[in-house]
């Protein structure tokens, strides 16, 4: 069976983003949520097993709250707050890894391994 994983790297501070909340949605319904550990990862896949099916998904990263706690000076309101990443899962037997590279004024993502 396939699985979905993610992690967050704070590229402004050069370290994993610890304590960042992440939610997973499909068709507007919340499927899962978690908080990143000291390595910037969730302790287990955010989606796996029988729940891992093809479809359109959204990971919602609560970046604003994390950035506010990180000690970086931010404007009010911050430039980035909630970051949605919408993506598709086509193969239910593959590993999909969707990381977030984050700074206070930008972010990027890709399909990792």
């Amino acid at each position: 069976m396939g699985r979905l994983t993610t992690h967050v790297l704070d590229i402004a501070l050069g370290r994993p983003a610890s304590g960042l909340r992440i939610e997973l949605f499909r068709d507007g319904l919340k499927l899962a949520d978690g908080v990143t550990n000291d390595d910037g990862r969730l302790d287990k896949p955010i989606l796996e097993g029988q729940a891992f099916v093809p479809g359109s998904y959204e990971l919602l990263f609560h970046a604003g709250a994390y950035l506010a706690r990180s000690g970086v000076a931010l404007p009010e309101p911050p430039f980035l707050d909630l970051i949605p990443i919408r993506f598709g899962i086509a193969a239910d037997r593959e590993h999909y890894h969707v990381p977030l590279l984050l700074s206070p004024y930008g972010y990027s993502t890709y399909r990792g391994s």
Side-chain angles (χ1 to χ4, degrees):
M1 299 294 279
R3 67 190 188 280
L4 172 63
T5 59
T6 186
H7 77 277
V8 185
L9 299 175
D10 184 328
I11 58 174
L13 298 177
R15 64 181 185 213
S18 176
L20 192 147
R21 183 174 176 215
I22 303 169
E23 296 176 285
L24 175 68
F25 296 87
R26 179 172 181 206
D27 299 327
L29 299 174
K30 186 161 99 170
L31 300 178
D33 62 37
V35 176
T36 57
N37 59 26
D38 288 344
D39 195 33
R41 299 174 185 274
L42 300 175
D43 290 332
K44 62 179 187 169
I46 195 163
L47 188 65
E48 64 183 336
Q50 302 229 348
F52 188 85
V53 296
S56 296
Y57 292 85
E58 176 180 288
L59 283 168
L60 185 63
F61 295 85
H62 292 251
Y66 162 78
L67 291 167
R69 288 190 313 274
S70 72
V72 175
L74 299 172
E76 183 57 43
F79 181 68
L80 294 174
D81 188 14
L82 299 175
I83 299 175
I85 298 178
R86 295 185 178 118
F87 60 97
I89 291 176
D92 63 1
R93 297 187 181 271
E94 293 185 15
H95 177 196
Y96 283 73
H97 184 68
V98 182
L100 180 71
L101 305 178
L102 176 64
S103 80
Y105 295 97
Y107 64 90
S108 66
T109 190
Y110 56 94
R111 181 175 174 191
S113 59

